[in-house]
Amino acid sequence: SNWTTYLTPRWYFGYSENRYNNSKISLEWLTRVFNPQTKGVANGRPRILISNGFRTYETLEILEFSFANNIILCRLPSHTSYKLQPCNIGVFAPLKAAYRDEVKRLYRGGLETVGKEHFTSLYKPAREKAITKRNITAGWAASGLFPFNPDRVLRHTPKPPAESAFLTETESCPQVEVLDTPVTPTTPVTIEAVTSLYNLIKDKAYTLHDKQSKQRLQQHVRKLASAAQISFAKQTLLQD
């Protein structure tokens, strides 16, 4: 009770033993806060609830309640909250700035330590300053969600490297002529290109007259090709 000395009507508080959000708190927030405060405004129309991929938002109880109450759950892809979540883009930054201003005001008044009992008295005015219709609509627009405009995100997203095929000898050219002609290939950026490079070097190795040198070169090239293929595979998984 000493944490909520500042009056905050219509506010809800919850806690967990490990201090992290969990499925119980998520369900209570959905049923006791989100649903009652948006149901009347929706007037029977579907409501969309956007969240990140945190597992506590996708329990069976939450899914069943959402389906029963015409709530559409929209899960953002992993690692995209900073681009697609409206709160992250247009609301949280001014909220943090406003909260810092309230803390500074308290310090200027002579308080040396800001405790839990001061949180609601600082957060309420900061919330009123930052969580405005203007900031909320700006967050939706900047994320390209409403008005729907994917280019708002894509034009600031780095493009993946273009896949370029590695140059190899053509069938019409004699093998010896190709091997004797210096080739300046582009750096391979795909597994297929690395394999093509490996085959080209392997073919060149057969022109060596020293058997031991030829075997040593082939061994090194195999290791290089294997390492590159593993690296590209890991990179593809990370990008996905």
Side-chain angles (χ1 to χ4, degrees), residues 159-188:
K159 301 295 186 297
E163 295 188 2
S164 57
F166 185 80
L167 297 176
T168 59
E169 64 270 22
T170 60
E171 295 180 359
S172 59
C173 299
Q175 185 179 8
V176 177
E177 292 182 10
V178 174
L179 293 176
D180 291 341
T181 304
V183 178
T184 308
T186 58
T187 302

Side-chain angles (χ1 to χ4, degrees), residues 2-108:
N2 64 326
W3 292 359
T4 57
T5 54
Y6 193 82
L7 294 179
T8 52
R10 297 180 68 241
W11 284 32
Y12 291 83
F13 298 88
Y15 78 98
S16 65
E17 296 296 335
N18 62 0
R19 298 174 296 173
Y20 288 96
N21 193 16
N22 56 36
S23 57
K24 180 177 180 293
I25 293 177
S26 298
L27 180 61
E28 288 197 0
W29 176 84
L30 178 64
T31 57
R32 298 174 59 185
V33 181
F34 178 82
N35 185 54
Q37 295 187 12
T38 61
K39 192 171 185 177
V41 179
N43 195 23
R45 293 173 299 175
R47 288 164 286 165
I48 184 170
L49 178 58
I50 298 177
S51 70
N52 57 25
F54 195 45
R55 63 183 180 274
T56 63
Y57 305 147
E58 296 182 340
T59 64
L60 181 59
E61 292 80 6
I62 289 178
L63 294 175
E64 289 178 341
F65 182 86
S66 299
F67 292 149
N69 289 272
N70 205 12
I71 298 173
I72 300 173
L73 297 179
C74 178
R75 170 177 166 176
L76 297 177
S78 300
H79 313 296
T80 61
S81 296
Y82 72 104
K83 287 281 191 180
L84 297 179
Q85 194 175 71
C87 285
N88 283 8
I89 297 174
V91 177
F92 288 159
L95 177 62
K96 290 178 181 179
Y99 184 79
R100 282 195 297 267
D101 290 341
E102 294 298 323
V103 172
K104 292 178 182 177
R105 178 183 59 79
L106 206 61
Y107 281 145
R108 288 195 296 268

Side-chain angles (χ1 to χ4, degrees), residues 120-132:
T120 52
S121 63
L122 299 176
Y123 182 72
K124 188 175 188 296
R127 176 185 174 90
E128 293 172 349
K129 291 178 183 177
I131 304 184
T132 62

